[in-house]
Amino acid sequence: MKPYLTLTLLSLIVACGSNNGPSNDEAPDGTAPQADLVESKNCESVTCQAEAEVLRALNQKRTELGLAPLSWSEELSYGARVWSDQQASASQISHDGFPERRLHSIQSMYPDFEEFLSAENVAMTYSSSAEGLAIGQQFFQMWWNSKGHQQNMLGNHSSIGVGIVAKGNGYYGTQLFFY
C-alpha cells in the first residue's frame, strides 16, 4: 500500500474509529436502539457526521416501513471508506470488483471478518456545505430516490457500513450491507 494512502486511511479510522461508532447494543425488543445515532456516533469531522446521518435517515425509513433497523458495522464502514477513497482518487464511481475487492480491504484490517457482502451503493456529489448532516441527507436522498439503490437499502440485511470521503468540494460515498 502506498504511504500516502496508508496515512489517509489511518486518518479516516481515527476520525471515524470504532470507539466513536454507534452502539450495537440491542433494545429489549431485539431491535437496534433508536437514539439519535448522529449524536451517539460523537463525530467531529464532516464526513463522519455525514456517515452517521445516512445511517440515522435509513433506519428511520426502515422503521417507518416496518423493517428492522440496521446495525452499524465498523468493519463494513472501513471497507466503504477505503472504496470511497479509491473512487475519489480515480475521480469516478463504480462497482468494479464488488464484493471481492471490498472483502479484501476489510480483511486487511479485520482478518477474522468472514461475512457475506450482500449489496453495495455508491454515489458522488458536490456540496458547498460544510455541514455533515446536510451532506449525509444529500447522499441518503440520492440513494433513496433511485429504485435500485432503494431496494438495496430496504433489503433483508442485518448490518451496514457507510464511508464518505471528501475530495475538494466533492464527496464520494459507499454503503456496504451484509446479512
Side-chain angles (χ1 to χ4, degrees):
M1 187 176 285
K2 296 180 181 176
Y4 65 87
L5 181 57
T6 302
L7 182 57
T8 300
L9 292 176
L10 288 174
S11 298
L12 288 169
I13 293 166
V14 169
C16 299
S18 60
N19 291 336
N20 293 334
S23 170
N24 284 333
D25 295 337
E26 291 186 349
D29 65 357
T31 63
Q34 290 303 303
D36 185 349
L37 295 172
V38 175
E39 287 182 18
S40 71
K41 200 160 184 299
N42 193 22
C43 296
E44 293 182 19
S45 74
V46 170
T47 55
C48 198
Q49 291 171 4
E51 292 171 4
E53 176 58 14
V54 169
L55 175 64
R56 187 207 62 77
L58 175 55
N59 277 342
Q60 179 180 340
K61 283 286 192 187
R62 287 179 63 92
T63 301
E64 288 171 4
L65 295 170
L67 299 172
L70 300 177
S71 297
W72 180 264
S73 166
E74 189 57 39
E75 295 89 349
L76 289 179
S77 295
Y78 175 82
R81 287 183 203 112
V82 169
W83 186 240
S84 292
D85 188 62
Q86 291 174 356
Q87 292 176 103
S89 294
S91 297
Q92 66 180 17
I93 59 172
S94 79
H95 294 286
D96 289 351
F98 178 80
E100 294 84 9
R101 286 175 59 189
R102 267 34 116 234
L103 187 57
H104 178 75
S105 293
I106 294 168
Q107 289 174 336
S108 72
M109 179 62 83
Y110 301 95
D112 295 332
F113 184 86
E114 295 185 11
E115 302 296 333
F116 175 74
L117 299 179
S118 51
E120 172 184 69
N121 287 339
V122 298
M124 187 273 178
T125 189
Y126 289 98
S127 179
S128 58
S129 174
E131 288 275 327
L133 297 179
I135 294 164
Q137 267 300 314
Q138 201 171 348
F139 273 106
F140 175 78
Q141 289 301 322
M142 285 190 308
W143 283 320
W144 188 256
N145 292 328
S146 162
K147 185 178 179 179
H149 293 104
Q150 186 182 102
Q151 286 176 330
N152 284 344
M153 293 164 73
L154 296 177
N156 187 27
H157 314 292
S158 64
S159 298
I160 184 174
V162 181
I164 296 175
V165 173
K167 179 181 179 186
N169 66 343
Y171 293 86
Y172 291 78
T174 303
Q175 290 179 316
L176 293 176
F177 303 87
F178 72 71
Y179 297 114

